[in-house]
């Protein structure tokens, strides 16, 4: 029986490794310095459904969890995320930050990825003819 729905497959991307689970198999691949080129090569090896739906899971090296103290004078969540993006960056690189909790009192729970990572992942998968269903940290499984 043919189905109009495409198979959902998974990509796990961490610091030096990524894995693809599709068609009932799992393939592990090393990540070169440019993760996008590595992922493009890995996805090129996937045959079958050209419009496959992908769930992307980010490892701890790609999506960090941070407990941060509130920043005095911040007026809204957008300002808080921008300020944390600058302060959590490494080697002068800004981070893209999303706050899971935000209140004037108590700690903030922040998720941080390298700036442009999510957009880059969407671009690589869509260039390969796929569709990204979700991008999440691995620990939300």
């Amino acid at each position: 029986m043919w189905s109009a729905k495409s198979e959902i497959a998974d990509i796990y991307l961490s610091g030096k490794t990524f894995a693809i689970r599709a068609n009932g198999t799992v393939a592990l691949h090393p990540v070169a310095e440019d993760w996008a080129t590595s992922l493009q090569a890995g996805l090129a090896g996937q045959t079958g459904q050209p419009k496959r739906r992908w769930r992307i899971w980010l490892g701890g090296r790609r999506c960090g969890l941070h407990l941060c103290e509130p920043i005095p004078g911040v007026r809204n969540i957008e300002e808080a995320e921008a300020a944390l993006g600058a302060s959590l960056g490494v080697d002068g690189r800004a981070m893209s930050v999303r706050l899971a909790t935000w209140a004037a009192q108590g700690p903030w729970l922040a998720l941080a990825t390298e700036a442009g990572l999510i957009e880059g992942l969407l671009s690589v998968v869509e260039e390969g003819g796929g569709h990204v269903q979700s991008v999440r940290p691995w620990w939300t499984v």
Side-chain angles (χ1 to χ4, degrees):
M1 175 179 176
W2 290 91
S3 173
K5 284 191 156 186
S6 60
E7 174 196 1
I8 298 175
D10 296 292
I11 297 169
Y12 171 80
L13 177 64
S14 189
K16 297 183 182 206
T17 304
F18 75 93
I20 296 177
R21 185 196 60 79
N23 302 323
T25 63
V26 176
L28 294 173
H29 304 273
V31 173
E33 191 165 323
D34 177 21
W35 64 264
T37 302
S38 298
L39 184 57
Q40 284 172 335
L43 290 176
Q46 294 295 309
T47 58
Q49 301 175 8
K51 297 200 183 247
R52 177 173 279 146
R53 293 179 295 156
W54 293 94
R55 291 181 297 209
I56 300 175
W57 305 97
L58 299 175
R61 291 187 178 177
R62 298 287 174 179
C63 184
L65 184 62
H66 302 273
L67 195 58
C68 308
E69 289 300 316
I71 301 170
V74 170
R75 295 175 297 200
N76 55 48
I77 194 168
E78 290 82 11
E79 284 184 8
E81 289 174 342
L84 288 172
S87 68
L88 292 174
V90 178
D91 298 328
R93 296 181 314 219
M95 300 294 280
S96 179
V97 174
R98 295 292 173 258
L99 285 168
T101 61
W102 182 69
Q105 303 295 321
W108 296 343
L109 184 60
L111 303 170
T113 61
E114 67 184 76
L117 175 67
I118 305 303
E119 296 82 4
L121 287 167
L122 295 173
S123 177
V124 167
V125 170
E126 290 170 0
E127 285 173 8
H131 172 74
V132 175
Q133 179 174 319
S134 63
V135 180
R136 297 181 177 156
W138 68 269
W139 42 263
T140 62
V141 177

